[in-house]
């Protein structure tokens, strides 16, 4: 296979990890149909090529989408500096009413404001910013699937084990800090390695991991480079819809294969949706279908993504692969 393409086995492996990102190779092997050693080797190859990665998501704090407009010829340098800011988790280069679209995560709305005003707005070359504070995650991109497995095969992927009966009901701060530090970059990192790196017992780490997942404090998310999927067009839609239809949107998004993310926001819009599409002509077709499905919905603005330069801390190259390093969310910015 070409270096930047997925073969059928890799597609099946990624789909399985999208269902359970920490599934042991030994448990996936019978379902996928190859031995555990082969799965491990294929996954290592995917990671090295920057075509797939598994991230630990800690859904506390606040988040926002931030429109950024730049001076001509300075967008590239602004993007380079933005990518080094830990709070900027994802960065898209876009068409439409923004040059860049950043996803910002911080401890609180006030921290979001500080990051946007002082860190982003203070960069030379930034003309203006506009913040869309997320009030509800209607659909999260971790729910999107590559659809390489059959329904029956997907049902056989092992789910995370619940906490053991004798596990502590709360997670010690030292254990939580270790999990946050390690899993943000590689959510498949073995418990034994986390324990050794942080001077903790394996049982405490395993208990903390299971408890955080069971309590919704940690989600495991598997992503694949869009450039090697069958959905090469990436677009954002900025919408207004009647507040009473937000729940209707939640049900609708789950039925649309192209939909990746849907966020209720506090700004001049109240809903922002991200989609992956097969062709550029689908941008307008999707818009018409959305407005037909939700009569109160009005798409006020839309942006097509030319390229992504950062995704959940990973720096993305011009081919869309995560090959340029990782900016840890807890690192100090320069």
């Amino acid at each position: 296979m070409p270096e930047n393409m997925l073969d059928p086995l890799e597609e099946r492996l990624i789909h399985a990890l999208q269902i359970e990102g920490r599934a042991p190779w030994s448990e996936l092997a019978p379902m996928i149909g190859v031995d555990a050693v082969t799965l491990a080797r294929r996954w290592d190859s995917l990671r090295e090529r920057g075509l797939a990665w598994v991230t630990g998501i800690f859904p506390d704090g606040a988040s926002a989408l931030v429109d950024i407009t730049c001076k001509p010829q300075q967008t590239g340098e602004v993007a380079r500096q933005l990518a080094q800011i830990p709070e900027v988790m994802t960065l898209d280069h876009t068409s439409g009413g923004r040059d860049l679209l950043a996803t910002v995560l911080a401890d609180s709305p006030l921290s979001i404001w500080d990051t946007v005003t002082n860190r982003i707005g203070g960069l030379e070359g930034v003309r203006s910013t506009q913040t869309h504070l997320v009030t509800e995650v209607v659909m999260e991109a971790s729910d999107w699937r590559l659809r390489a497995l059959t329904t029956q095969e997907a049902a056989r992927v092992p789910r995370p084990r619940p906490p053991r009966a004798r596990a502590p009901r709360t997670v010690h701060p030292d254990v939580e800090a270790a999990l946050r530090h390690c899993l943000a970059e590689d959510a498949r990192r073995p418990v034994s390695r986390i324990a050794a790196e942080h001077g903790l017992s394996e049982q405490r780490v395993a208990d903390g991991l299971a408890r955080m997942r069971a309590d919704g404090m940690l989600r495991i998310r598997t992503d694949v480079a869009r450039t090697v999927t069958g959905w090469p067009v990436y677009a954002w839609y900025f919408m207004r819809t009647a507040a009473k239809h937000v729940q209707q949107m939640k049900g609708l998004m789950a039925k649309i294969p192209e939909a990746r993310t849907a966020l209720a926001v506090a700004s001049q819009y109240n809903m922002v949706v991200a989609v992956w599409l097969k062709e550029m002509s689908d941008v307008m077709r999707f818009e018409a279908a959305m407005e037909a499905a939700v009569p109160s919905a009005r798409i006020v603005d839309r942006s097509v993504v030319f390229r992504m330069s950062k995704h959940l801390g990973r720096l993305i190259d011009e081919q869309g692969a995560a090959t340029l390093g990782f900016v840890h969310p807890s690192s100090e910015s320069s």
Side-chain angles (χ1 to χ4, degrees), residues 43-111:
W43 178 248
D44 287 344
S45 173
L46 285 166
R47 287 193 66 202
E48 289 170 4
R49 291 149 63 200
L51 300 185
W53 51 91
V54 185
T55 306
I57 304 293
F58 302 89
D60 50 359
S63 62
L65 295 174
V66 182
D67 296 338
I68 303 161
T69 59
C70 305
K71 295 178 182 177
Q73 284 77 49
Q74 290 188 268
T75 301
E77 177 58 22
V78 169
R80 187 192 67 78
Q81 295 184 59
L82 285 172
Q84 296 301 319
I85 298 176
E87 292 84 358
V88 174
M89 295 299 292
T90 299
L91 186 63
D92 294 336
H93 300 234
T94 64
S95 67
R98 55 204 57 80
D99 297 310
L100 300 167
L101 180 63
T103 302
V104 176
L105 303 182
D107 293 336
S108 66
L110 182 59
S111 297

Side-chain angles (χ1 to χ4, degrees), residues 8 22 74-75 85 107 145 202 211 213-214 232 239 276 289 308 312 319:
R22 288 186 62 86
Q74 290 188 268
T75 301
I85 298 176
D107 293 336
R145 300 289 182 259
E202 292 187 24
R211 178 61 63 192
R213 296 193 71 180
M239 307 168 56
W276 283 7
M308 176 185 289
L312 297 178
Q319 286 70 49

Side-chain angles (χ1 to χ4, degrees), residues 29 79 116 172 199 218:
V116 174
H172 191 279
L218 165 64

Side-chain angles (χ1 to χ4, degrees), residues 51-290:
L51 300 185
W53 51 91
V54 185
T55 306
I57 304 293
F58 302 89
D60 50 359
S63 62
L65 295 174
V66 182
D67 296 338
I68 303 161
T69 59
C70 305
K71 295 178 182 177
Q73 284 77 49
Q74 290 188 268
T75 301
E77 177 58 22
V78 169
R80 187 192 67 78
Q81 295 184 59
L82 285 172
Q84 296 301 319
I85 298 176
E87 292 84 358
V88 174
M89 295 299 292
T90 299
L91 186 63
D92 294 336
H93 300 234
T94 64
S95 67
R98 55 204 57 80
D99 297 310
L100 300 167
L101 180 63
T103 302
V104 176
L105 303 182
D107 293 336
S108 66
L110 182 59
S111 297
I112 295 277
W113 176 87
D114 180 67
T115 297
V116 174
T117 302
N118 298 314
R119 304 293 300 286
I120 297 176
L123 293 176
E124 183 178 355
V126 171
R127 275 185 163 173
S128 65
T129 64
Q130 186 168 24
T131 302
H132 312 287
L133 190 66
V134 175
T135 58
E136 181 183 358
V137 178
V138 176
M139 179 182 183
E140 213 267 331
S142 59
D143 297 327
W144 186 87
R145 300 289 182 259
L146 200 54
R147 294 185 286 282
L149 301 175
T150 67
T151 302
Q152 293 75 19
E153 288 171 332
R156 292 173 57 196
V157 175
R159 271 38 177 193
R161 294 185 177 88
R164 63 191 181 100
R166 296 177 59 187
R169 295 290 180 182
T170 59
V171 181
H172 191 279
D174 290 346
V175 175
E176 180 175 346
L179 291 169
R180 284 179 177 269
H181 183 269
C182 292
L183 300 184
E185 182 173 3
D186 177 14
R188 283 194 62 84
R189 188 169 297 188
V191 164
S192 58
R193 183 175 167 190
I194 299 172
E197 289 176 353
H198 291 267
L200 300 166
S201 73
E202 292 187 24
Q203 188 64 68
R204 290 183 68 199
V205 173
D207 285 344
L209 176 59
R211 178 61 63 192
M212 290 185 72
R213 296 193 71 180
D215 291 351
M217 299 169 61
L218 165 64
R219 294 198 302 271
I220 305 297
R221 169 173 166 172
T222 300
D223 284 285
V224 57
R226 176 179 49 83
T227 50
V228 296
T229 70
W231 293 269
V233 179
Y234 173 20
W236 286 91
Y237 295 90
F238 300 81
M239 307 168 56
R240 295 193 192 107
T241 187
K244 64 182 179 180
H245 289 155
V246 169
Q247 293 304 312
Q248 181 182 352
M249 292 288 291
K250 184 177 294 188
L252 176 65
M253 290 295 102
K255 298 176 182 178
I256 300 176
E258 298 88 351
R260 291 268 301 173
T261 303
L263 305 169
V265 299
S267 68
Q268 75 270 40
Y269 317 112
N270 63 356
M271 182 74 64
V272 182
V273 174
V275 299
W276 283 7
L277 303 167
K278 291 184 179 294
E279 299 177 4
M280 192 65 71
S281 58
D282 290 335
V283 172
M284 295 305 293
R285 280 200 290 266
F286 182 88
E287 179 171 337
M290 178 68 70

